[in-house]
Amino acid sequence: MNVSIVGSGYVGTTVAACLADLGHDVLNIEIDEDIVEAINAGEAPIHESGLAERIAEHAGTSLRATTEYGDARDTDVTFLCLPTPQSEDGSLDLAIMRAGAESLGRALADKDDDHLVVVKSTVLPGTTEDVVGPILESESGTQLGDGLEIAMNPEFLRMGTAVGDFLEPDKVVFGTASDGADATLRELYAPIIEREETDLVETDIREAELIKYANNAFLASKVSLVNELGNIAREYDADAYEVLEAVGLDDRISERFMRSGLGWGGSCFPKDVNALRAGAREQGYDPDLLDAAVAVNDEQPRRLVGLLADHVDLEGARIAVLGLSFKPGTDDIRKSRALDVIEYLADRGADIVAYDPVAIENVRPEYPEIEYADSAEGALEGADGAVVATDWPEFDDLSFEGMARSVVVDGRRIEVDEDALEVYEGLTW
Ligand SMILES: NC(=O)C1=CN([C@@H]2O[C@H](COP(=O)(O)OP(=O)(O)OC[C@H]3O[C@@H](n4cnc5c(N)ncnc54)[C@H](O)[C@@H]3O)[C@@H](O)[C@H]2O)C=CC1
Ligand SMILES: O=C(O)[C@H]1O[C@H](OP(=O)(O)OP(=O)(O)OC[C@H]2O[C@@H](n3ccc(=O)[nH]c3=O)[C@H](O)[C@@H]2O)[C@H](O)[C@@H](O)[C@@H]1O
């Protein structure tokens, strides 16, 4: 099938490379010329395991990128993988979606063949049918159902494991308003939905939109609950990891997403939970539990720095920050908890030296005043204290030799020889 994908960020690039892998002809439509050039040169514009080799294999044959929306006319289906950021008040900002839908609608004007537009971006219920659909209709001059169709197909991939998550998901959700749209999506996803391990959910557009938010709200709240239980466990001098491992054996709860510590960051949980909170309020409902999940999450970095301050006078102290990305396996620093830790350390006058295996160049422009090291060992050299902000596997069994004082405060539960350290404090254990 001929597929176009509007927006070639983490989702759009991954979906494009994977659909090309499944045998489709894929076109990325992207406004950033550097990304277009990278894809056409066979290079991955982002750091994501398994992506570079797929782009290298398909670029120039079944995978192509362009800045021209007009090329969407030559495809049968277009996925909108555009950003849906939060506004300053936390609500969902649809400006980019509107702009993308307008450009696509114009490109599809007077197209003779049928075309399906699939919203893959995370959007609140009603967006696909009440915002994207009408824009497409007015810009293309074609009524929905008259050769032009819309659908909603939320994406559940995680950064760092995006390719594997897309190709081997637990579930795929098709939100459609017609059998034709559903049949097209089935054909496109055939090898994925034929897997025994993948559940296919076929529902209406509104439910598909909400399934995505409910999924993220559930997971983010689960981690906040786990963090609250971890904070309580610490007060009782109990090990939250042992407690929650046992709790997770109950298959109504599951052992996944049970790692307590510094909390959730990234480009999705924070903005999606906030969009759902704002949306719920707009509908007249106060989402008290989601408010609490955010409040617990906001406190964890402050608690981590407070723990360090119990052992080290932070004013003028050299503090190593290990890990900058919002989670291991990615160079994405959006809403990374490590950045909150840096802010709180800086507020208390600490001299910060930071290290991350892949994210330093993304952080440097935002924090040019702090020092960056080439290795964890380099960051620790001569430091008066260290905080672990991201659980990169290379931090496991790290030797903390070379520190002026081996005071280590761990927000992510890495493997540590505690006896070799002057002080080792876990945030939630
Ligand atoms: N990052 C993730 O792990 C996941 C993200 N999502 C959702 O998918 C959507 C996209 O997210 P990401 O890929 O992370 O965003 P992103 O910010 O990484 O990428 C978006 C891309 O769209 C491009 N763009 C912006 N305006 C454009 C326009 N008018 N025309 C063409 N291209 C344009 C940008 O240059 C950028 O390359 C969001 O709604 C997000 O919530 C859903 C599941 C996972
Ligand atoms: O909508 C999205 O964009 C995506 O958001 C999350 O994926 P992602 O943000 O890439 O990463 P996660 O692995 O979910 O981690 C999110 C945050 O929670 C934290 N976390 C996760 C799990 C855990 O047990 N403990 C914990 O603190 C991580 O450190 C990270 O900061 C969801 O897991 C994906 O299903 C979803 O598609």
Side-chain angles (χ1 to χ4, degrees):
M1 200 174 276
N2 281 321
V3 186
S4 47
I5 295 184
V6 174
S8 192
Y10 283 89
V11 171
T13 307
T14 304
V15 172
C18 291
L19 288 179
D21 229 29
L22 297 182
H24 300 293
D25 278 320
V26 187
L27 174 72
N28 270 124
I29 300 171
E30 163 63 54
I31 48 169
D32 183 329
E33 287 179 10
D34 291 342
I35 294 178
V36 170
E37 256 177 50
I39 292 173
N40 287 333
E43 289 159 15
I46 50 162
H47 175 89
E48 197 58 60
S49 169
L51 188 63
E53 47 272 47
R54 284 179 168 79
I55 293 180
E57 186 184 341
H58 302 298
T61 51
S62 55
L63 178 63
R64 200 168 65 78
T66 178
T67 54
E68 295 301 322
Y69 269 84
D71 296 0
R73 283 172 67 88
D74 303 328
T75 64
D76 312 305
V77 185
T78 304
F79 282 88
L80 292 176
C81 299
L82 290 165
T84 46
Q86 66 176 51
S87 318
E88 265 180 27
D89 64 359
S91 63
L92 174 63
D93 180 348
L94 286 175
I96 302 175
M97 283 299 284
R98 284 199 174 91
E102 274 168 26
S103 304
L104 179 64
R106 278 196 294 275
L108 296 178
D110 307 322
K111 185 185 175 207
D112 294 328
D113 308 326
D114 292 353
H115 201 93
L116 173 65
V117 178
V118 186
V119 174
K120 201 176 233 323
S121 299
T122 301
V123 292
L124 284 170
T127 306
T128 303
E129 288 164 300
D130 303 339
V131 179
V132 175
I135 293 175
L136 291 172
E137 283 183 321
S138 67
E139 296 296 330
S140 68
T142 309
Q143 294 303 299
L144 289 179
D146 203 11
L148 180 63
E149 302 249 29
I150 48 169
M152 200 294 155
N153 166 227
E155 182 50 56
F156 300 95
L157 62 79
R158 292 160 300 169
M159 299 177 59
T161 49
V163 170
D165 286 349
F166 182 80
L167 291 171
E168 296 175 355
D170 293 341
K171 63 173 177 261
V172 169
V173 177
F174 296 158
T176 58
S178 72
D179 291 346
D182 189 68
T184 303
L185 285 169
R186 271 177 170 265
E187 189 183 333
L188 204 57
Y189 272 84
I192 296 176
I193 58 178
E194 278 160 13
R195 294 173 71 246
E196 216 172 286
E197 302 83 352
T198 301
D199 282 314
L200 174 62
V201 179
E202 291 164 297
T203 182
D204 291 340
I205 291 178
R206 205 162 268 271
E207 278 74 17
E209 292 169 322
L210 192 53
I211 286 168
K212 174 63 195 178
Y213 280 99
N215 220 86
N216 274 359
F218 200 100
L219 290 171
S221 303
K222 181 173 182 181
V223 175
S224 279
L225 178 57
V226 157
N227 283 338
E228 180 143 291
L229 293 170
N231 294 339
I232 294 170
R234 215 190 118 84
E235 295 301 319
Y236 279 111
D237 221 357
D239 184 335
Y241 273 67
E242 275 189 44
V243 171
L244 291 163
E245 201 179 315
V247 171
L249 296 175
D250 186 325
D251 66 9
R252 292 171 301 177
I253 295 173
S254 132
E255 78 271 90
R256 295 171 76 188
F257 271 68
M258 279 292 206
R259 292 183 62 81
S260 60
L262 207 46
W264 36 273
S267 64
C268 293
F269 282 179
K271 80 156 171 76
D272 291 347
V273 173
N274 284 336
L276 188 56
R277 288 164 75 209
R281 285 214 156 80
E282 215 178 282
Q283 301 295 318
Y285 177 80
D286 277 337
D288 294 336
L289 199 55
L290 295 180
D291 291 349
V294 171
V296 171
N297 198 50
D298 285 348
E299 266 316 293
Q300 295 305 86
R302 207 195 314 269
R303 288 174 61 84
L304 187 79
V305 174
L307 264 187
L308 183 62
D310 289 345
H311 301 282
V312 179
D313 177 5
L314 292 175
E315 181 68 46
R318 185 174 171 79
I319 303 298
V321 174
L322 300 183
L324 295 169
S325 59
F326 84 96
K327 65 180 222 181
T330 175
D331 60 355
D332 195 337
I333 59 156
R334 289 177 283 182
K335 295 279 180 216
S336 171
R337 310 273 69 197
L339 305 184
D340 296 290
V341 169
I342 287 174
E343 300 271 352
Y344 292 132
L345 286 171
D347 285 350
R348 290 181 174 230
D351 286 334
I352 300 162
V353 49
Y355 167 71
D356 187 282
V358 295
I360 287 176
E361 291 320 316
N362 292 338
V363 176
R364 202 191 294 271
E366 274 186 53
Y367 296 93
E369 68 285 3
I370 69 174
E371 203 180 307
Y372 295 91
D374 291 338
S375 63
E377 288 80 1
L380 293 168
E381 190 65 41
D384 302 301
V387 296
V388 180
T390 314
D391 39 344
W392 282 101
E394 69 173 68
F395 297 155
D396 285 338
D397 301 318
L398 196 62
S399 155
F400 288 88
E401 284 165 14
M403 293 181 75
R405 280 187 64 203
S406 58
V407 179
V408 177
V409 178
D410 185 355
R412 295 294 183 187
R413 183 82 161 205
I414 57 168
E415 299 289 329
V416 177
D417 178 5
E418 292 184 36
D419 297 337
L421 301 178
E422 182 187 329
V423 176
Y424 175 75
E425 294 269 15
L427 180 57
T428 54
W429 57 93

